[in-house]
């Protein structure tokens, strides 16, 4: 993902590409500072993510090579694509960039900028990767944030949704079937011989909650059986999500 200008860069300090935690003092400082800012406001800490680090590292090299800052240079992929290329799976992603003589100045600048501050204190993000590179007297810093989406098998996705559906106690769960999974892949209608009274297909960044419309159906008392099918996610603009179908029967 590094351009020719990046590869030609000489005299640039770099961190180990296989980094699994912040190892440079600059990266440690920004990582700890970010979590201190969040802790002081009652926000959960960010965990270090190697995929986000790699995305941040590549972009920091681009900035240092060009001796300027930007969120995307000509010929460079956009942030969402860079994150996915490095293996990140997310429902949202954001980035802070800076050029300054010290990391203290970088952090202060981010906290004094409404947009950068909002990224750093966003309660929705849970992961971060940071890269800081030096060229001459300047540091080039990148913070990449995301809300990670955990890898789950189709069986695991169906089990999680089944737990939510069954929590009301009034619905009997039918065994998982290929018909339910095929229904998930369809734009409309249903697969199989038995016709459901209601089908809801939805896409979610996590499987912690059911859609409000589905919860209303489950609470109506009209339905007594449910089948659940998951199918491979169709990403939109490189964001990751789960695709689910819930079929309700009398």
């Amino acid at each position: 993902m590094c351009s020719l200008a990046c590869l030609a860069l000489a005299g640039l300090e770099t961190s180990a590409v296989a980094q699994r935690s912040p190892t440079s003092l600059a990266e440690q400082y920004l990582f700890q500072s970010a979590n201190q800012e969040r802790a002081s406001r009652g926000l959960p800490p960010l965990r270090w993510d190697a995929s986000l680090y790699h995305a941040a590292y590549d972009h920091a090299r681009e900035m240092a090579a060009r001796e300027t800052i930007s969120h995307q240079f000509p010929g460079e992929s956009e942030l969402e694509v860079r994150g996915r290329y490095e293996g990140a799976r997310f429902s949202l992603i954001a980035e802070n960039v800076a050029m300054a003589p010290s990391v203290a100045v970088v952090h202060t600048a981010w906290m004094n900028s409404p947009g950068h501050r909002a990224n750093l204190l966003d309660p929705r993000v849970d992961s971060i990767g940071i890269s800081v590179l030096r060229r001459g007297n300047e540091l080039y810093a990148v913070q990449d944030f995301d809300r990670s989406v955990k890898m789950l098998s189709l069986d695991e996705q169906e089990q999680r949704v089944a737990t939510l559906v069954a929590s009301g106690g009034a619905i009997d769960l039918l065994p998982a079937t290929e018909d339910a999974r095929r229904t998930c892949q369809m734009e409309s209608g249903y697969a199989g011989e038995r016709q459901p009274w209601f089908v809801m297909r939805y896409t979610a960044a996590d499987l912690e909650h059911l859609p409000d419309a589905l919860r209303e159906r489950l609470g109506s008392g009209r339905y007594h059986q449910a089948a659940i099918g998951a199918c491979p996610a169709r990403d939109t603009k490189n964001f990751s999500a789960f695709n689910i179908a819930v079929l309700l029967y009398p």
Side-chain angles (χ1 to χ4, degrees):
M1 294 293 289
C2 196
S3 72
L4 291 177
C6 167
L7 292 173
L9 182 62
L12 181 66
E13 293 180 6
T14 63
S15 302
V17 173
Q19 184 173 0
R20 290 295 180 268
S21 62
T23 55
S24 77
L25 291 177
E27 291 160 0
Q28 290 175 22
Y29 176 88
L30 292 176
F31 181 54
Q32 293 169 2
S33 295
N35 278 332
Q36 287 170 0
E37 297 284 3
R38 291 174 67 88
S40 69
R41 294 160 178 82
L43 297 170
L46 300 170
R47 69 173 184 85
W48 185 266
D49 184 277
S51 296
L52 292 179
Y53 163 74
H54 292 314
Y57 175 82
D58 285 346
H59 190 57
R61 288 196 57 157
E62 288 284 354
M63 295 197 310
R66 300 167 189 267
E67 298 185 87
T68 189
I69 62 174
S70 174
H71 287 290
Q72 184 179 5
F73 293 105
E76 184 186 29
S77 299
E78 61 185 2
L79 172 61
E80 292 85 356
V81 176
R82 298 198 306 265
R84 286 298 305 277
Y85 177 85
E86 297 296 350
R89 285 178 54 86
F90 48 84
S91 58
L92 65 88
I93 190 168
E95 183 176 73
N96 287 347
V97 298
M99 178 178 68
S102 72
V103 286
V105 173
V106 168
H107 180 70
T108 299
W110 281 339
M111 290 302 295
N112 288 335
S113 166
H116 295 89
R117 178 189 177 96
N119 287 338
L120 201 149
L121 300 178
D122 190 340
R124 299 171 299 170
V125 299
D126 56 24
S127 305
I128 190 172
I130 305 168
S131 181
V132 182
L133 303 179
R134 176 179 294 280
R135 182 171 188 178
N137 295 324
E138 296 288 348
L139 295 178
Y140 297 83
V142 179
Q143 280 182 329
D144 284 345
F145 309 84
D146 78 9
R147 181 175 182 85
S148 297
V149 174
K150 184 178 179 182
M151 294 286 287
L152 297 173
S153 68
L154 296 183
D155 286 338
E156 290 171 328
Q157 294 174 42
E158 291 163 356
Q159 290 167 7
R160 290 201 176 192
V161 176
T163 299
L164 296 174
V165 170
S167 62
I171 298 288
D172 292 329
L173 294 171
L174 299 174
T177 66
E178 288 302 316
D179 286 342
R181 290 185 177 179
R182 286 199 297 271
T183 298
C184 178
Q185 295 175 316
M186 298 167 62
E187 294 293 335
S188 61
Y190 64 94
E193 297 181 358
R194 187 181 180 190
Q195 180 177 358
W197 276 18
F198 177 76
V199 177
M200 171 165 281
R201 298 173 182 85
Y202 66 94
T203 300
D206 60 57
L207 299 178
E208 299 173 3
H209 308 283
L210 296 175
D212 290 342
L214 178 56
R215 289 193 295 104
E216 291 177 6
R217 291 277 182 166
L218 292 170
S220 69
R222 296 182 57 202
Y223 310 100
H224 299 93
Q225 292 183 319
I228 298 159
C231 54
R234 296 181 292 273
D235 290 351
T236 302
K237 293 184 179 179
N238 297 292
F239 286 71
S240 301
F242 301 107
N243 279 356
I244 302 294
V246 179
L247 293 69
L248 301 181
Y249 302 91

